[in-house]
């Protein structure tokens, strides 16, 4: 339980008196400087706690006091270092000119003692709440008997081995100090998040954990258990096609490696080839100090491909041993295997050096003359590729307890080479010195062989080659020399090792080292050389004079993050350069390619009031740029500032403007972007369109972009200022015949600004009219107000169209004359308001002619029908002789199977009637084409040769006279029943017949439409007058009247 109470003298006078009595007057001397902290702590019974001042100050300036008695008791004992009694409440009073949490450190000592079987206590415990705001050092003194080792296991975060100078960034630093059997003391520091899961402690050791103030501590830090000193068991599982070799590398005694149930032990080496779980036993407690591990794989290459790449993922095999990963590579004779290193590349080092990350790569080759080392490399260099002849090996060495962080080497089949190796180097930009070594350095270069380096030098840089150290062999044949070639050059420069080497040259080059046939009993050839790169030292100078260009500002900036491009303005190095209007500047550009620079220009145009504005307007023209500039002008922006109560008018100097929209994109070399003063986009425009003028009721920016604006001739726009308009934007449009005009709302398709309005004034010639189509409408959900789309002709107050977002309306409209299209936005709650419209012109005279021709055609068709009816009636009238009326009763007039009238209809008399009245001709029915067709089809069946006279009944229903045929089965019609002329259920379409004779062919067939006709009933009875119903003309019989 910890109780703290801070007392600050200069703030609380009452608390100051208490602190003064407790400190026996010391605080009075330091009234304005001291800070007091009172707290009560209770250490564990097995912990020895020491509170010490970390400041070298006198006792009266910084001390810790033990309060004896109650809280208000003034009897204290003060010290610079104070040891607390375990398992007792202790009240402490800190007084120091610095904050106590920073001025004092806490050490908490515990002991762990082990027997051959157990440790007491078995856990390295901590007291989390004790002095949690101070810097604490938890110390455990460990002791074990002889021939026994204490194993410390860290179940949570594994540890990572660090150097003495490295600090743990998370505030938790472990330190292990151990003494071996020979009395040597070894100290090792660790941080969290590593690979070390356990630490073996000999007979005497100390483990400490330093925790920064404010950090939490787990109650359990580690667990301890004794193990026999003579052995250690490790379980490993090699990967397929992998050979694991455990070899002894020191003269340590009594340590072997064993495998199997026997087990089978070997004091020097053990090889594992099977990809299965294997238990490996060492007869010493720390075999990582005695043995090293090699993990080998083979990569075979054909003439085209290789079986894999050099990549080693994080391995769980022997993480605390010194490990060497090797890859054996082989290609067909005459070819080379090619290693491509990841960016930026590798750096070559001599054998005496080590890599900073302790990951050392070695490339060797097997030649007829023996093994040769191409080089030893570390990550982060300029060597990007190595080609090695025929057969070789790549190895990676990683020390024990070092986390494996390998690189991925791409292995491919290289070209045919006739030399030991080819090394490709990309030299960095800027000032640099890179060292290189010959193969087998510092031993002798292979006899009668050669090696080449291909150097890529960045542009605008010079290189210098200098030999730092070399030894020459005793030649029996040929001679040692160096050959230089320019990139893709055929003519070379030959030099000896003693000659001056190339200095301050430009361009990429190759360097080839030739060895002679040497006396192998003598010292061999070795070479260490350096390639220095520096800038060419020729900056681009340019003077920019904007004294006479009012409102023009130039901006220079880097496109990329190239650190070697230097821009200076008046000899001052700057990341971005701005040349203001009305100034003159001397610019300098060093190692800045044109593609890495961006030049933009801005010009401001405006006037104070409308009276002072130019009447003819101002042409937007790109001024001539200085030719000394190292890059092209690709963007020019004009800021147009409107006067009070004014509007900016944009017109094309030649022709009309066209907005870049789907189907009418601007694909020219120049693009104009128009935006409002607040950055809201209006749209992209170009020439050859239908927009005569754009009026904007706000400040406007016009940006012209092109690959090189200096090559564009002529002005882009004509800018003038006019009286204030009521809308936000007004377009004046002159559509063209044959080409639809597309009209888009500002910032299409993303939507208009809230509460903004836009209008189009569409001027139509007198003989044309327009079809307006709203092709793409996006309506928002309005929070306030409504969106409106209105159309009205010019000079008319009536609206042709008025549409809101919550109401549907037609999307297509025909406008007969010039009109006004207006759109306004609401305050959207969700979504946006955007509209794309299309205006298509049509010729009014053509439409009138089409209407006239249609009307004339209809009249002619009607006259033709009337004439046809007249002729038919006239012909029928000639064929009529007497009054007659026809009634066909229901049923069939002949029995099925009774074949009568073998004659054809034209030859028989079946179509002859006794008499018929002229008024019985149903001429009005001939106007119905369906009826006429039905009648014509009706008389294509069996002919009828008998006419029976019927007497008219009083209710105008015809009287039916029975005959013998009426009494036939299934054929007798119903007597005295009203019969319509046409069955309404059948109309003129035959139904499913009960006999071979169709219903309409029977005597009972009647037409309902004749029921109410005054000619429906028969007038009289008497002799039958014949009448022919065929198409052939007949001689009319004398008219016979029935009595």
């Amino acid at each position: 339980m910890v109780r703290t109470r801070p007392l600050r003298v200069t703030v609380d006078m009452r608390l100051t008196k208490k602190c003064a009595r407790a400190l026996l007057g010391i605080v009075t001397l330091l009234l304005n400087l001291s800070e007091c902290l009172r707290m009560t702590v209770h250490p564990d019974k097995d912990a020895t706690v020491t509170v010490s001042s970390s400041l070298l100050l006198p006792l009266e300036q910084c001390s810790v006091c033990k309060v004896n008695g109650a809280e208000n008791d003034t009897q204290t004992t003060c010290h610079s270092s104070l040891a607390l009694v375990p398992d007792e409440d202790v009240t402490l009073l800190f007084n120091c000119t610095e904050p106590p949490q920073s001025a004092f450190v806490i050490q908490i000592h515990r002991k762990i003692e082990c027997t051959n079987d157990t440790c007491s206590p078995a856990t390295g415990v901590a007291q989390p709440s004790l002095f949690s705001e101070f810097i604490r050092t938890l110390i455990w003194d460990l002791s074990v008997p002889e021939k026994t080792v204490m194993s410390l296991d860290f179940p949570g975060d594994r540890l990572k081995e660090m150097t003495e100078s490295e600090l743990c960034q998370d505030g938790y630093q472990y330190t292990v100090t151990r003494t071996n059997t020979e009395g040597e003391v070894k100290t090792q520091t660790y941080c969290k998040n590593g690979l070390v899961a356990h630490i073996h402690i000999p007979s005497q050791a100390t483990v400490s954990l330093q925790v920064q103030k404010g950090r939490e501590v787990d109650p359990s830090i580690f667990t301890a258990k004794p193990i026999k000193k003579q052995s250690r068991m490790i379980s490993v599982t090699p990967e397929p096609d992998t050979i694991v070799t455990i070899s002894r590398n020191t003269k340590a005694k009594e340590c072997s490696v064993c495998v199997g149930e026997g087990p089978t032990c070997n004091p020097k080496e053990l090889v594992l080839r099977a990809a299965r779980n294997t238990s490996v036993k060492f007869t010493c407690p720390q075999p990582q100090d005695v043995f090293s591990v090699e993990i080998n794989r083979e990569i075979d290459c054909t003439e085209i491909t290789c079986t894999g790449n050099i990549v080693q993922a994080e391995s769980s095999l022997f993480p605390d041993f010194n490990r060497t990963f090797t890859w054996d590579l082989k290609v067909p004779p005459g070819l080379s295997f090619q290693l491509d290193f990841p960016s930026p590349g590798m750096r070559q080092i001599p054998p005496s050096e080590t890599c900073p990350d302790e990951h050392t790569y070695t490339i060797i080759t097997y030649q007829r003359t023996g093994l040769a080392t191409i080089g030893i490399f570390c990550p982060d260099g300029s060597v990007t590729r190595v080609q090695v002849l025929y057969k070789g090996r790549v190895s990676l060495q990683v020390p024990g307890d070092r986390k494996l962080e390998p690189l991925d080497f791409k292995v491919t089949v290289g070209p045919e080479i006739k030399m030991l190796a080819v090394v490709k180097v990309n030299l960095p930009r800027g000032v640099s010195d890179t060292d290189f070594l010959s193969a087998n350095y510092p031993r002798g270069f292979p006899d009668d062989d050669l090696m080449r380096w291909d150097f890529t030098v960045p542009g605008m840089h010079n290189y210098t080659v200098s030999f730092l150290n070399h030894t020459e062999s005793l030649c029996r044949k040929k001679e040692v020399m160096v050959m230089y070639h320019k990139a893709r050059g055929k003519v070379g420069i030959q030099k000896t090792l003693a000659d001056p080497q190339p200095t301050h040259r430009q361009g990429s080059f190759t360097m080839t080292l030739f060895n002679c046939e040497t006396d192998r009993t003598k010292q061999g050839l070795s070479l260490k050389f350096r390639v220095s790169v520096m800038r060419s030292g020729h900056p681009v100078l340019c003077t920019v004079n904007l004294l006479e260009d009012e409102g023009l500002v130039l901006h220079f900036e880097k496109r990329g993050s190239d650190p070697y491009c230097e821009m200076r303005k008046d000899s001052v190095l700057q990341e971005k350069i701005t040349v203001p209007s009305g100034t003159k500047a001397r610019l300098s550009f060093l190692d800045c390619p044109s593609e890495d620079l961006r030049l933009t220009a801005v010009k401001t145009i405006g006037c104070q009031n409308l009276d002072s504005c130019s009447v003819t307007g101002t042409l937007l023209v790109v001024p001539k740029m200085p030719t000394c500039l190292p890059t092209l002008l690709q963007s020019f922006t004009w800021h147009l500032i409107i006067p009070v109560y004014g509007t900016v008018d944009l017109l094309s100097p030649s022709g009309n403007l066209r907005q870049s929209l789907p189907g009418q994109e601007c694909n020219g070399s120049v693009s104009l972007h128009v935006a409002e003063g607040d950055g809201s986009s209006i749209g992209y425009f170009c020439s050859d369109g239908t927009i005569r003028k754009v009026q904007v009721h706000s400040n406007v920016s016009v940006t012209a972009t092109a690959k090189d604006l200096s090559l564009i001739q002529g002005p882009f726009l004509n800018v003038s200022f006019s009286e204030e308009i009521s809308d936000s934007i007004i377009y004046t449009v002159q559509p063209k015949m044959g080409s639809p005009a597309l009209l888009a709302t500002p910032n299409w398709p993303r939507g208009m600004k809230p509460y903004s309005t836009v209008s189009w004034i569409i001027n139509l010639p007198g003989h044309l009219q327009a079809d307006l189509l709203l092709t793409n409408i996006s309506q928002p959900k309005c929070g306030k107000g409504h969106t409106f789309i209105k159309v009205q002709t010019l000079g008319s107050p009536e609206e042709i169209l008025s549409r809101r977002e919550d109401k549907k309306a037609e999307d297509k409209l025909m406008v007969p004359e010039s009109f006004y299209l207006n759109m306004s936005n609401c305050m959207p709650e969700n979504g946006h308001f955007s509209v794309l419209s299309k205006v298509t012109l049509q010729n009014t005279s053509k439409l009138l002619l089409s209407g006239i021709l249609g009307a004339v055609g209809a009249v002619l068709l009607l006259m033709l029908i009337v004439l046809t009816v007249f002729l038919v009636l006239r012909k029928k009238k000639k064929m009529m002789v007497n009054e007659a009326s026809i009634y066909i009763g229901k049923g069939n007039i002949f029995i099925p199977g009774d074949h009568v009238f073998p004659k054809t209809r034209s030859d028989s008399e079946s179509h002859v009637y006794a008499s018929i009245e002229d008024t019985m001709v149903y001429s009005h029915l001939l106007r119905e084409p369906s009826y006429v067709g039905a009648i014509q089809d009706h008389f294509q069946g069996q002919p009828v040769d008998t006419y029976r006279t019927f007497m008219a009944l009083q209710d105008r229903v015809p009287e039916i006279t029975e005959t013998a045929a009426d009494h036939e089965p299934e054929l007798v019609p119903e007597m005295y029943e009203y019969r319509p002329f046409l069955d309404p259920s059948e109309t003129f379409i035959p139904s499913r017949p009960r006999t071979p004779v169709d219903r309409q062919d029977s005597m009972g067939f009647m037409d309902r439409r004749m029921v109410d006709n005054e000619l429906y009933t028969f007038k009289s009875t008497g002799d039958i007058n014949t009448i022919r119903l065929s198409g052939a003309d007949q001689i009319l019989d004398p008219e016979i009247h029935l009595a």
Side-chain angles (χ1 to χ4, degrees), residues 466-515:
S466 56
F467 291 170
L468 303 179
N469 185 18
H470 71 276
T471 59
E472 294 192 42
S473 57
L474 180 60
C475 294
R476 291 181 175 179
K477 292 182 180 180
K478 302 180 182 179
E479 64 179 356
V480 178
M481 65 177 180
V482 179
M483 184 72 72
Y484 294 95
H485 288 83
K486 288 187 176 182
R488 295 179 296 276
K490 297 182 179 180
V491 180
I493 301 175
Q494 179 178 328
K495 292 179 178 292
T496 66
L497 300 184
D499 291 338
Q501 305 305 314
T503 303
H504 296 295
R505 302 291 180 86
Q506 288 189 349
S508 301
F509 69 99
T510 64
M511 171 184 159
T512 307
L513 175 64
F514 293 84
N515 196 11

Side-chain angles (χ1 to χ4, degrees), residues 263-278:
T264 301
C265 299
N266 192 315
K268 294 183 179 181
E269 185 180 83
L270 176 65
V271 179
L272 303 177
R273 298 178 182 272
R276 64 171 180 266
N277 190 293
T278 304

Side-chain angles (χ1 to χ4, degrees), residues 767 769 842-856:
H767 63 285
Q769 63 183 6
Q842 290 189 4
N843 199 323
T844 306
S845 58
K846 291 184 178 180
L847 294 177
L848 181 60
L849 179 60
S850 299
I852 295 175
L853 292 177
V856 171

Side-chain angles (χ1 to χ4, degrees), residues 112 114 140-145 147-154 175-180 186 190 198-207 222-227 229 285-286 288:
I112 298 179
C114 297
W140 293 269
D141 294 329
L142 311 176
S143 63
V144 292
K147 297 182 180 181
T148 304
V149 175
M150 180 185 295
S151 177
L152 302 183
D153 296 327
F154 297 87
T175 303
V176 177
T177 304
R178 49 192 171 184
T179 305
N180 58 19
K186 182 180 179 181
Y190 299 88
H198 53 266
I199 300 177
H200 294 283
I201 304 299
S203 58
Q204 299 294 331
T206 300
V207 176
F222 59 85
T223 59
K225 63 181 179 179
I227 61 176
K229 190 174 184 180
Q286 296 183 357
Q288 65 271 19

Side-chain angles (χ1 to χ4, degrees), residues 340-355:
D340 291 312
F341 304 138
S343 180
M346 306 295 288
R347 176 175 59 90
Q348 190 175 5
I349 61 172
S352 59
E353 295 184 10
T354 58
C355 297

Side-chain angles (χ1 to χ4, degrees), residues 423-497:
V423 180
K424 181 176 177 57
V425 182
N426 285 339
L427 296 173
R429 297 187 64 179
V431 179
S432 65
D433 293 323
T434 309
D435 294 343
F436 300 93
L437 306 169
S438 61
N440 252 2
Y441 185 89
R443 304 187 307 271
F445 190 84
D447 190 38
D448 194 20
D449 215 331
L450 64 155
M451 181 177 177
R452 191 181 78 212
W453 290 264
D454 295 339
F455 294 98
T456 300
V457 182
M460 296 180 292
H461 282 67
N462 295 343
Y463 69 88
T464 297
V465 179
S466 56
F467 291 170
L468 303 179
N469 185 18
H470 71 276
T471 59
E472 294 192 42
S473 57
L474 180 60
C475 294
R476 291 181 175 179
K477 292 182 180 180
K478 302 180 182 179
E479 64 179 356
V480 178
M481 65 177 180
V482 179
M483 184 72 72
Y484 294 95
H485 288 83
K486 288 187 176 182
R488 295 179 296 276
K490 297 182 179 180
V491 180
I493 301 175
Q494 179 178 328
K495 292 179 178 292
T496 66
L497 300 184

Side-chain angles (χ1 to χ4, degrees), residues 31-46:
L31 187 60
N32 296 324
L33 298 176
S34 300
E35 291 194 10
C36 291
L37 174 66
R38 182 182 181 130
M39 60 189 305
T40 300
V41 297
H42 187 99
D44 291 339
K45 63 180 180 178
D46 60 345

